[in-house]
Amino acid sequence: NVPAGTSAITFAGRFRLPAMPATSMILFSQGNLGFDIELLNNGTLRANARDGAAVRTINNVSIPAGLVANVWYDMICAIDQVAQNLKVSLNGSLISTVAFSVAGNGQFQSNRPLGFLARNTNTLQFVGDIEYLRVWLSATGLATAPAAAPLKQIVGPASLANADSWKLGANAT
């Protein structure tokens, strides 16, 4: 679970889709829609976020990303409750800055887990190739990876990813 007083989260991953999802799939998440980045079947991202009191600060915001099948992508999604924004970079270029619709209380819910490639209920599971996944409890303000070691990193091969304590759902192959 996210520690009390956490005000920023940065997710990073390198992935490829063999095909676009029929509806949608989760790339990065915090439980209870605390912070979700969802890939829609048209290549657009959808973002949701809540503050520490479960107030929606970002509500179903579409981010035109232009993702397509069979292309490797490096993505960073960094949200800062104090700065009140989400920044998304794709292949090293900032593609979106989303301002909060309401200010919120400046922190995330501390009783909710972080996750990769599905919601913590194991729904909207990602199907594709992954090189790495990382998460930090900080943000640079530039949609870049923080310099510190990540809180969590998952890398291949599939046997290591399947043995990871954060793994939910179907095994990687």
Side-chain angles (χ1 to χ4, degrees), residues 115-131:
F116 300 112
L117 309 180
R119 290 209 167 103
N120 66 338
T121 56
N122 202 23
T123 58
L124 302 177
Q125 188 168 351
F126 177 91
V127 176
D129 302 318
I130 301 292
E131 188 173 304

mmCIF file with all atom_site columns, all heavy atoms in Angstrom, residues 115-131:
data_model
loop_
_atom_site.group_PDB
_atom_site.id
_atom_site.type_symbol
_atom_site.label_atom_id
_atom_site.label_alt_id
_atom_site.label_comp_id
_atom_site.label_asym_id
_atom_site.label_entity_id
_atom_site.label_seq_id
_atom_site.pdbx_PDB_ins_code
_atom_site.Cartn_x
_atom_site.Cartn_y
_atom_site.Cartn_z
_atom_site.occupancy
_atom_site.B_iso_or_equiv
_atom_site.pdbx_formal_charge
_atom_site.auth_seq_id
_atom_site.auth_comp_id
_atom_site.auth_asym_id
_atom_site.auth_atom_id
_atom_site.pdbx_PDB_model_num
ATOM 1   N N   . GLY A 1 115 ? -0.238  -0.999  -8.717  1.00 0.00 ? 115 GLY A N   1
ATOM 2   C CA  . GLY A 1 115 ? -0.200  -2.178  -9.569  1.00 0.00 ? 115 GLY A CA  1
ATOM 3   C C   . GLY A 1 115 ? 0.187   -1.847  -10.996 1.00 0.00 ? 115 GLY A C   1
ATOM 4   O O   . GLY A 1 115 ? 0.144   -0.699  -11.426 1.00 0.00 ? 115 GLY A O   1
ATOM 5   N N   . PHE A 1 116 ? 0.563   -2.882  -11.702 1.00 0.00 ? 116 PHE A N   1
ATOM 6   C CA  . PHE A 1 116 ? 0.913   -2.788  -13.109 1.00 0.00 ? 116 PHE A CA  1
ATOM 7   C C   . PHE A 1 116 ? 0.008   -3.709  -13.917 1.00 0.00 ? 116 PHE A C   1
ATOM 8   O O   . PHE A 1 116 ? -0.308  -4.813  -13.486 1.00 0.00 ? 116 PHE A O   1
ATOM 9   C CB  . PHE A 1 116 ? 2.353   -3.269  -13.350 1.00 0.00 ? 116 PHE A CB  1
ATOM 10  C CG  . PHE A 1 116 ? 3.422   -2.513  -12.622 1.00 0.00 ? 116 PHE A CG  1
ATOM 11  C CD1 . PHE A 1 116 ? 4.138   -3.126  -11.608 1.00 0.00 ? 116 PHE A CD1 1
ATOM 12  C CD2 . PHE A 1 116 ? 3.733   -1.217  -12.965 1.00 0.00 ? 116 PHE A CD2 1
ATOM 13  C CE1 . PHE A 1 116 ? 5.164   -2.457  -10.955 1.00 0.00 ? 116 PHE A CE1 1
ATOM 14  C CE2 . PHE A 1 116 ? 4.752   -0.530  -12.315 1.00 0.00 ? 116 PHE A CE2 1
ATOM 15  C CZ  . PHE A 1 116 ? 5.461   -1.150  -11.310 1.00 0.00 ? 116 PHE A CZ  1
ATOM 16  N N   . LEU A 1 117 ? -0.396  -3.280  -15.084 1.00 0.00 ? 117 LEU A N   1
ATOM 17  C CA  . LEU A 1 117 ? -0.997  -4.113  -16.131 1.00 0.00 ? 117 LEU A CA  1
ATOM 18  C C   . LEU A 1 117 ? -2.374  -4.680  -15.815 1.00 0.00 ? 117 LEU A C   1
ATOM 19  O O   . LEU A 1 117 ? -2.865  -5.527  -16.554 1.00 0.00 ? 117 LEU A O   1
ATOM 20  C CB  . LEU A 1 117 ? -0.044  -5.248  -16.516 1.00 0.00 ? 117 LEU A CB  1
ATOM 21  C CG  . LEU A 1 117 ? 1.383   -4.811  -16.855 1.00 0.00 ? 117 LEU A CG  1
ATOM 22  C CD1 . LEU A 1 117 ? 2.224   -6.020  -17.217 1.00 0.00 ? 117 LEU A CD1 1
ATOM 23  C CD2 . LEU A 1 117 ? 1.403   -3.767  -17.950 1.00 0.00 ? 117 LEU A CD2 1
ATOM 24  N N   . ALA A 1 118 ? -2.992  -4.237  -14.750 1.00 0.00 ? 118 ALA A N   1
ATOM 25  C CA  . ALA A 1 118 ? -4.365  -4.622  -14.415 1.00 0.00 ? 118 ALA A CA  1
ATOM 26  C C   . ALA A 1 118 ? -4.774  -3.838  -13.176 1.00 0.00 ? 118 ALA A C   1
ATOM 27  O O   . ALA A 1 118 ? -3.918  -3.321  -12.460 1.00 0.00 ? 118 ALA A O   1
ATOM 28  C CB  . ALA A 1 118 ? -4.491  -6.121  -14.123 1.00 0.00 ? 118 ALA A CB  1
ATOM 29  N N   . ARG A 1 119 ? -6.055  -3.755  -12.941 1.00 0.00 ? 119 ARG A N   1
ATOM 30  C CA  . ARG A 1 119 ? -6.507  -3.210  -11.661 1.00 0.00 ? 119 ARG A CA  1
ATOM 31  C C   . ARG A 1 119 ? -6.221  -4.259  -10.589 1.00 0.00 ? 119 ARG A C   1
ATOM 32  O O   . ARG A 1 119 ? -6.026  -5.438  -10.886 1.00 0.00 ? 119 ARG A O   1
ATOM 33  C CB  . ARG A 1 119 ? -7.997  -2.887  -11.714 1.00 0.00 ? 119 ARG A CB  1
ATOM 34  C CG  . ARG A 1 119 ? -8.275  -1.705  -12.618 1.00 0.00 ? 119 ARG A CG  1
ATOM 35  C CD  . ARG A 1 119 ? -9.509  -0.930  -12.169 1.00 0.00 ? 119 ARG A CD  1
ATOM 36  N NE  . ARG A 1 119 ? -9.553  0.340   -12.860 1.00 0.00 ? 119 ARG A NE  1
ATOM 37  C CZ  . ARG A 1 119 ? -10.367 0.586   -13.886 1.00 0.00 ? 119 ARG A CZ  1
ATOM 38  N NH1 . ARG A 1 119 ? -11.204 -0.329  -14.316 1.00 0.00 ? 119 ARG A NH1 1
ATOM 39  N NH2 . ARG A 1 119 ? -10.342 1.776   -14.456 1.00 0.00 ? 119 ARG A NH2 1
ATOM 40  N N   . ASN A 1 120 ? -6.200  -3.856  -9.339  1.00 0.00 ? 120 ASN A N   1
ATOM 41  C CA  . ASN A 1 120 ? -5.889  -4.830  -8.289  1.00 0.00 ? 120 ASN A CA  1
ATOM 42  C C   . ASN A 1 120 ? -6.981  -5.878  -8.136  1.00 0.00 ? 120 ASN A C   1
ATOM 43  O O   . ASN A 1 120 ? -6.810  -6.858  -7.436  1.00 0.00 ? 120 ASN A O   1
ATOM 44  C CB  . ASN A 1 120 ? -5.579  -4.145  -6.955  1.00 0.00 ? 120 ASN A CB  1
ATOM 45  C CG  . ASN A 1 120 ? -6.770  -3.442  -6.365  1.00 0.00 ? 120 ASN A CG  1
ATOM 46  O OD1 . ASN A 1 120 ? -7.716  -3.097  -7.067  1.00 0.00 ? 120 ASN A OD1 1
ATOM 47  N ND2 . ASN A 1 120 ? -6.740  -3.213  -5.073  1.00 0.00 ? 120 ASN A ND2 1
ATOM 48  N N   . THR A 1 121 ? -8.101  -5.692  -8.822  1.00 0.00 ? 121 THR A N   1
ATOM 49  C CA  . THR A 1 121 ? -9.160  -6.704  -8.868  1.00 0.00 ? 121 THR A CA  1
ATOM 50  C C   . THR A 1 121 ? -8.922  -7.691  -10.009 1.00 0.00 ? 121 THR A C   1
ATOM 51  O O   . THR A 1 121 ? -9.756  -8.540  -10.273 1.00 0.00 ? 121 THR A O   1
ATOM 52  C CB  . THR A 1 121 ? -10.523 -6.031  -9.072  1.00 0.00 ? 121 THR A CB  1
ATOM 53  O OG1 . THR A 1 121 ? -10.463 -5.229  -10.266 1.00 0.00 ? 121 THR A OG1 1
ATOM 54  C CG2 . THR A 1 121 ? -10.904 -5.170  -7.886  1.00 0.00 ? 121 THR A CG2 1
ATOM 55  N N   . ASN A 1 122 ? -7.761  -7.542  -10.694 1.00 0.00 ? 122 ASN A N   1
ATOM 56  C CA  . ASN A 1 122 ? -7.363  -8.406  -11.802 1.00 0.00 ? 122 ASN A CA  1
ATOM 57  C C   . ASN A 1 122 ? -8.245  -8.208  -13.033 1.00 0.00 ? 122 ASN A C   1
ATOM 58  O O   . ASN A 1 122 ? -8.418  -9.124  -13.831 1.00 0.00 ? 122 ASN A O   1
ATOM 59  C CB  . ASN A 1 122 ? -7.338  -9.871  -11.369 1.00 0.00 ? 122 ASN A CB  1
ATOM 60  C CG  . ASN A 1 122 ? -6.441  -10.701 -12.269 1.00 0.00 ? 122 ASN A CG  1
ATOM 61  O OD1 . ASN A 1 122 ? -5.543  -10.175 -12.914 1.00 0.00 ? 122 ASN A OD1 1
ATOM 62  N ND2 . ASN A 1 122 ? -6.694  -11.987 -12.325 1.00 0.00 ? 122 ASN A ND2 1
ATOM 63  N N   . THR A 1 123 ? -8.830  -7.021  -13.203 1.00 0.00 ? 123 THR A N   1
ATOM 64  C CA  . THR A 1 123 ? -9.645  -6.725  -14.375 1.00 0.00 ? 123 THR A CA  1
ATOM 65  C C   . THR A 1 123 ? -8.866  -5.854  -15.347 1.00 0.00 ? 123 THR A C   1
ATOM 66  O O   . THR A 1 123 ? -7.894  -5.196  -14.977 1.00 0.00 ? 123 THR A O   1
ATOM 67  C CB  . THR A 1 123 ? -10.953 -6.020  -13.985 1.00 0.00 ? 123 THR A CB  1
ATOM 68  O OG1 . THR A 1 123 ? -10.638 -4.817  -13.280 1.00 0.00 ? 123 THR A OG1 1
ATOM 69  C CG2 . THR A 1 123 ? -11.829 -6.914  -13.121 1.00 0.00 ? 123 THR A CG2 1
ATOM 70  N N   . LEU A 1 124 ? -9.313  -5.852  -16.601 1.00 0.00 ? 124 LEU A N   1
ATOM 71  C CA  . LEU A 1 124 ? -8.698  -5.070  -17.678 1.00 0.00 ? 124 LEU A CA  1
ATOM 72  C C   . LEU A 1 124 ? -7.211  -5.385  -17.814 1.00 0.00 ? 124 LEU A C   1
ATOM 73  O O   . LEU A 1 124 ? -6.377  -4.503  -17.989 1.00 0.00 ? 124 LEU A O   1
ATOM 74  C CB  . LEU A 1 124 ? -8.930  -3.572  -17.485 1.00 0.00 ? 124 LEU A CB  1
ATOM 75  C CG  . LEU A 1 124 ? -10.393 -3.129  -17.397 1.00 0.00 ? 124 LEU A CG  1
ATOM 76  C CD1 . LEU A 1 124 ? -10.485 -1.644  -17.128 1.00 0.00 ? 124 LEU A CD1 1
ATOM 77  C CD2 . LEU A 1 124 ? -11.149 -3.504  -18.655 1.00 0.00 ? 124 LEU A CD2 1
ATOM 78  N N   . GLN A 1 125 ? -6.871  -6.679  -17.737 1.00 0.00 ? 125 GLN A N   1
ATOM 79  C CA  . GLN A 1 125 ? -5.471  -7.105  -17.759 1.00 0.00 ? 125 GLN A CA  1
ATOM 80  C C   . GLN A 1 125 ? -4.830  -6.834  -19.116 1.00 0.00 ? 125 GLN A C   1
ATOM 81  O O   . GLN A 1 125 ? -5.395  -7.099  -20.173 1.00 0.00 ? 125 GLN A O   1
ATOM 82  C CB  . GLN A 1 125 ? -5.357  -8.583  -17.413 1.00 0.00 ? 125 GLN A CB  1
ATOM 83  C CG  . GLN A 1 125 ? -3.928  -9.026  -17.233 1.00 0.00 ? 125 GLN A CG  1
ATOM 84  C CD  . GLN A 1 125 ? -3.807  -10.405 -16.614 1.00 0.00 ? 125 GLN A CD  1
ATOM 85  O OE1 . GLN A 1 125 ? -4.784  -10.977 -16.154 1.00 0.00 ? 125 GLN A OE1 1
ATOM 86  N NE2 . GLN A 1 125 ? -2.610  -10.942 -16.593 1.00 0.00 ? 125 GLN A NE2 1
ATOM 87  N N   . PHE A 1 126 ? -3.611  -6.298  -19.077 1.00 0.00 ? 126 PHE A N   1
ATOM 88  C CA  . PHE A 1 126 ? -2.796  -6.004  -20.262 1.00 0.00 ? 126 PHE A CA  1
ATOM 89  C C   . PHE A 1 126 ? -2.400  -7.292  -20.961 1.00 0.00 ? 126 PHE A C   1
ATOM 90  O O   . PHE A 1 126 ? -2.057  -8.274  -20.310 1.00 0.00 ? 126 PHE A O   1
ATOM 91  C CB  . PHE A 1 126 ? -1.543  -5.240  -19.811 1.00 0.00 ? 126 PHE A CB  1
ATOM 92  C CG  . PHE A 1 126 ? -0.578  -4.920  -20.905 1.00 0.00 ? 126 PHE A CG  1
ATOM 93  C CD1 . PHE A 1 126 ? -0.683  -3.730  -21.601 1.00 0.00 ? 126 PHE A CD1 1
ATOM 94  C CD2 . PHE A 1 126 ? 0.453   -5.792  -21.227 1.00 0.00 ? 126 PHE A CD2 1
ATOM 95  C CE1 . PHE A 1 126 ? 0.227   -3.420  -22.613 1.00 0.00 ? 126 PHE A CE1 1
ATOM 96  C CE2 . PHE A 1 126 ? 1.356   -5.493  -22.229 1.00 0.00 ? 126 PHE A CE2 1
ATOM 97  C CZ  . PHE A 1 126 ? 1.236   -4.301  -22.929 1.00 0.00 ? 126 PHE A CZ  1
ATOM 98  N N   . VAL A 1 127 ? -2.423  -7.266  -22.283 1.00 0.00 ? 127 VAL A N   1
ATOM 99  C CA  . VAL A 1 127 ? -1.934  -8.374  -23.096 1.00 0.00 ? 127 VAL A CA  1
ATOM 100 C C   . VAL A 1 127 ? -0.917  -7.787  -24.065 1.00 0.00 ? 127 VAL A C   1
ATOM 101 O O   . VAL A 1 127 ? -1.257  -6.937  -24.886 1.00 0.00 ? 127 VAL A O   1
ATOM 102 C CB  . VAL A 1 127 ? -3.073  -9.061  -23.872 1.00 0.00 ? 127 VAL A CB  1
ATOM 103 C CG1 . VAL A 1 127 ? -2.522  -10.142 -24.789 1.00 0.00 ? 127 VAL A CG1 1
ATOM 104 C CG2 . VAL A 1 127 ? -4.108  -9.619  -22.914 1.00 0.00 ? 127 VAL A CG2 1
ATOM 105 N N   . GLY A 1 128 ? 0.333   -8.189  -23.930 1.00 0.00 ? 128 GLY A N   1
ATOM 106 C CA  . GLY A 1 128 ? 1.385   -7.667  -24.792 1.00 0.00 ? 128 GLY A CA  1
ATOM 107 C C   . GLY A 1 128 ? 2.757   -8.018  -24.260 1.00 0.00 ? 128 GLY A C   1
ATOM 108 O O   . GLY A 1 128 ? 2.897   -8.856  -23.372 1.00 0.00 ? 128 GLY A O   1
ATOM 109 N N   . ASP A 1 129 ? 3.762   -7.361  -24.805 1.00 0.00 ? 129 ASP A N   1
ATOM 110 C CA  . ASP A 1 129 ? 5.153   -7.589  -24.427 1.00 0.00 ? 129 ASP A CA  1
ATOM 111 C C   . ASP A 1 129 ? 5.620   -6.466  -23.518 1.00 0.00 ? 129 ASP A C   1
ATOM 112 O O   . ASP A 1 129 ? 5.334   -5.297  -23.772 1.00 0.00 ? 129 ASP A O   1
ATOM 113 C CB  . ASP A 1 129 ? 6.039   -7.622  -25.672 1.00 0.00 ? 129 ASP A CB  1
ATOM 114 C CG  . ASP A 1 129 ? 5.623   -8.700  -26.665 1.00 0.00 ? 129 ASP A CG  1
ATOM 115 O OD1 . ASP A 1 129 ? 5.312   -9.817  -26.203 1.00 0.00 ? 129 ASP A OD1 1
ATOM 116 O OD2 . ASP A 1 129 ? 5.596   -8.421  -27.867 1.00 0.00 ? 129 ASP A OD2 1
ATOM 117 N N   . ILE A 1 130 ? 6.368   -6.829  -22.478 1.00 0.00 ? 130 ILE A N   1
ATOM 118 C CA  . ILE A 1 130 ? 6.886   -5.865  -21.506 1.00 0.00 ? 130 ILE A CA  1
ATOM 119 C C   . ILE A 1 130 ? 8.384   -6.070  -21.368 1.00 0.00 ? 130 ILE A C   1
ATOM 120 O O   . ILE A 1 130 ? 8.844   -7.206  -21.203 1.00 0.00 ? 130 ILE A O   1
ATOM 121 C CB  . ILE A 1 130 ? 6.226   -6.067  -20.118 1.00 0.00 ? 130 ILE A CB  1
ATOM 122 C CG1 . ILE A 1 130 ? 4.715   -5.910  -20.201 1.00 0.00 ? 130 ILE A CG1 1
ATOM 123 C CG2 . ILE A 1 130 ? 6.841   -5.137  -19.084 1.00 0.00 ? 130 ILE A CG2 1
ATOM 124 C CD1 . ILE A 1 130 ? 4.238   -4.526  -20.506 1.00 0.00 ? 130 ILE A CD1 1
ATOM 125 N N   . GLU A 1 131 ? 9.132   -4.980  -21.408 1.00 0.00 ? 131 GLU A N   1
ATOM 126 C CA  . GLU A 1 131 ? 10.562  -5.056  -21.122 1.00 0.00 ? 131 GLU A CA  1
ATOM 127 C C   . GLU A 1 131 ? 10.834  -4.725  -19.659 1.00 0.00 ? 131 GLU A C   1
ATOM 128 O O   . GLU A 1 131 ? 11.626  -5.375  -19.003 1.00 0.00 ? 131 GLU A O   1
ATOM 129 C CB  . GLU A 1 131 ? 11.344  -4.113  -22.025 1.00 0.00 ? 131 GLU A CB  1
ATOM 130 C CG  . GLU A 1 131 ? 12.839  -4.287  -21.896 1.00 0.00 ? 131 GLU A CG  1
ATOM 131 C CD  . GLU A 1 131 ? 13.605  -3.482  -22.916 1.00 0.00 ? 131 GLU A CD  1
ATOM 132 O OE1 . GLU A 1 131 ? 13.345  -3.662  -24.120 1.00 0.00 ? 131 GLU A OE1 1
ATOM 133 O OE2 . GLU A 1 131 ? 14.451  -2.661  -22.508 1.00 0.00 ? 131 GLU A OE2 1
#
